[in-house]
Amino acid sequence: MSMMGEFRQFAMKGNVVDLAVGVIIGGAFGRIVDSLVQDIIMPPISRLFGGLDFASYYIPLNNQGWTLPLVDAKKLGAVLAYGNFLTVLINFIILAFVIFQMIRMMNRLRITDAPVPVATVTPEDVLLLREIRDNLKTRPA
């Protein structure tokens, strides 16, 4: 089989196609959650912490001063930009929670059929051996 034929066979397996669809949907869903965090959740949190853009919070490491915007502070030297990290962390926590809830819901909706007992036919030699055993038990010693 040629390499292209092997690749086509690999790419057309169900798991690979399902994975590709999951990655595409996950990317789009990630953008939705990112917008939710940045546009809806972070503004009220930012207001609680002084009304500034939460993603621009930083600690200057080269005596840049605390009043500069993050971009300007980075131009003047190293900064510890913890606000952006916290935004990404909250984004991840929300995304993980939503995915957990989706998997939980799918598990509840999954139909779990009880295994159907298979009627087994006992072989004739086993039946004969059982009959001999029972006869030996009832026989006087």
Side-chain angles (χ1 to χ4, degrees):
M1 182 182 287
S2 70
M3 186 170 69
M4 289 304 292
E6 286 181 48
F7 177 74
R8 195 185 96 194
Q9 182 182 6
F10 167 76
M12 290 301 143
K13 286 184 179 177
N15 294 341
V16 174
V17 175
D18 291 344
L19 179 63
V21 170
V23 167
I24 292 169
I25 290 174
F29 187 70
R31 281 184 258 148
I32 291 170
V33 171
D34 189 43
S35 175
L36 173 72
V37 170
Q38 290 181 0
D39 301 332
I40 296 177
I41 294 173
M42 292 313 287
I45 292 175
S46 170
R47 178 126 171 121
L48 289 173
F49 287 100
L52 299 174
D53 180 19
F54 193 71
S56 66
Y57 283 6
Y58 67 92
I59 297 173
L61 299 177
N62 278 350
N63 300 325
Q64 294 97 320
W66 294 85
T67 58
L68 295 173
L70 178 62
V71 176
D72 294 338
K74 281 185 176 181
K75 288 179 185 175
L76 295 175
V79 295
L80 185 67
Y82 67 90
N84 189 40
F85 173 75
L86 291 177
T87 302
V88 171
L89 182 66
I90 290 171
N91 190 352
F92 170 77
I93 290 170
I94 291 172
L95 183 63
F97 180 74
V98 169
I99 290 173
F100 167 73
Q101 292 299 330
M102 287 174 49
I103 291 173
R104 192 170 162 224
M105 182 179 64
M106 281 192 257
N107 285 340
R108 285 185 181 167
L109 294 176
R110 184 177 292 151
I111 298 172
T112 55
D113 295 332
V116 179
V118 179
T120 57
V121 177
T122 308
E124 190 173 330
D125 57 341
V126 173
L127 291 174
L128 186 60
L129 288 170
R130 286 181 185 165
E131 184 179 331
I132 293 170
R133 177 195 64 201
D134 293 340
N135 282 341
L136 288 173
K137 285 182 181 176
T138 59
R139 213 178 199 191

